[in-house]
Amino acid sequence: MTFGFAPASAAASTSVASANRLLEPAEWAAAGIPLLRNPREVVSGLHARHHPQPATAVIAVLDPDERLRASASFGRRPAPADGWMFRNVLLAQLRRIIPHDLRRRTPVRTAVLLYCREGDARWTEEDGAWMWGLRDACTLHGLRCGAYITLTRDGWQVLGEGRGGRRPHSASAPEPFDTSEAPPPLPRTGGAASEVLRRAAAAR
């Protein structure tokens, strides 16, 4: 006789996924996560500040103009990917670096998560657990849930959006922080401006 039960392996897989609390890419894409206006700038800035290595997460809080208000990096402990545990870790970091916004009717600030890991850019269950944890931690801290970004040997990718780039990547040297946001150098041209700059330099 054949009964209507799922095979043991499939049932176990479903049970593990449920217990670990993760989000599939389609669920994440349908959650209405706000798009970053300039993801490359956000990624480069966090990479320059925190120099993440594989198994390092960077949680950052952005204001409505996407200016960085606070950020923290921390290593991931070797344990099974569990969204509940990731939520607790992220919430602890948020409480440490910035006051909550729970008194606001609607969130103003947005939290984004950059996770540097081994492997390629394809979604993994570990990514799904981080997504679940980020969304829940934001709700409990009064923030909007923002982008989840992976940093691998292939480069960076905003999961659920299809946007990414080759640099920085998990093995690239970070830009010096003081030059990563420096204004572009003055054009090297002749004329009065060059003469004024030359005299100013000589007077020092």
Side-chain angles (χ1 to χ4, degrees):
M1 295 178 62
T2 302
F3 295 90
F5 294 108
S9 59
S13 176
T14 302
S15 175
V16 169
S18 175
N20 288 352
R21 299 177 176 83
L22 56 84
L23 292 176
E24 299 280 348
E27 295 175 296
W28 182 258
I33 306 299
L35 302 180
L36 289 170
R37 290 195 296 271
N38 193 336
R40 185 183 302 278
E41 184 176 302
V42 172
V43 173
S44 297
L46 294 179
H47 188 260
R49 284 175 176 83
H50 295 280
H51 309 179
Q53 301 297 313
T56 301
V58 180
I59 183 73
V61 179
L62 309 178
D63 69 12
D65 295 322
E66 283 193 7
R67 290 190 297 262
L68 182 66
R69 288 304 174 203
S71 64
S73 61
F74 54 94
R76 169 171 162 17
R77 294 180 179 178
D82 188 323
W84 183 273
M85 294 183 65
F86 288 171
R87 187 280 304 271
N88 293 339
V89 171
L90 292 171
L91 189 58
Q93 294 293 332
L94 288 170
R95 287 171 173 165
R96 185 175 65 85
I97 63 175
I98 200 163
H100 68 74
D101 279 346
L102 293 172
R103 292 186 179 88
R104 294 183 179 272
R105 291 187 177 181
T106 56
V108 174
R109 296 180 292 191
T110 302
V112 300
L113 179 63
L114 171 72
Y115 183 54
C116 181
R117 62 169 173 77
E118 301 288 0
D120 56 33
R122 288 176 293 184
W123 179 89
T124 66
E125 287 194 357
E126 182 183 25
D127 295 325
W130 279 117
M131 290 170 167
W132 191 97
L134 175 62
R135 186 184 65 176
D136 217 40
C138 288
T139 299
L140 294 174
H141 205 64
L143 301 171
R144 288 200 308 170
C145 179
Y148 173 70
I149 306 160
T150 58
L151 190 69
T152 67
R153 64 187 177 213
D154 296 331
W156 59 271
Q157 181 177 353
V158 185
L159 291 192
E161 295 184 19
R163 293 190 292 175
R166 294 184 178 180
R167 295 189 66 86
H169 53 76
S170 59
S172 62
E175 296 180 36
F177 176 69
D178 57 350
T179 62
S180 64
E181 296 182 351
L186 293 171
R188 296 180 179 178
T189 58
S194 294
E195 182 62 20
V196 169
L197 291 173
R198 187 187 65 76
R199 289 179 182 175
R204 289 179 181 174

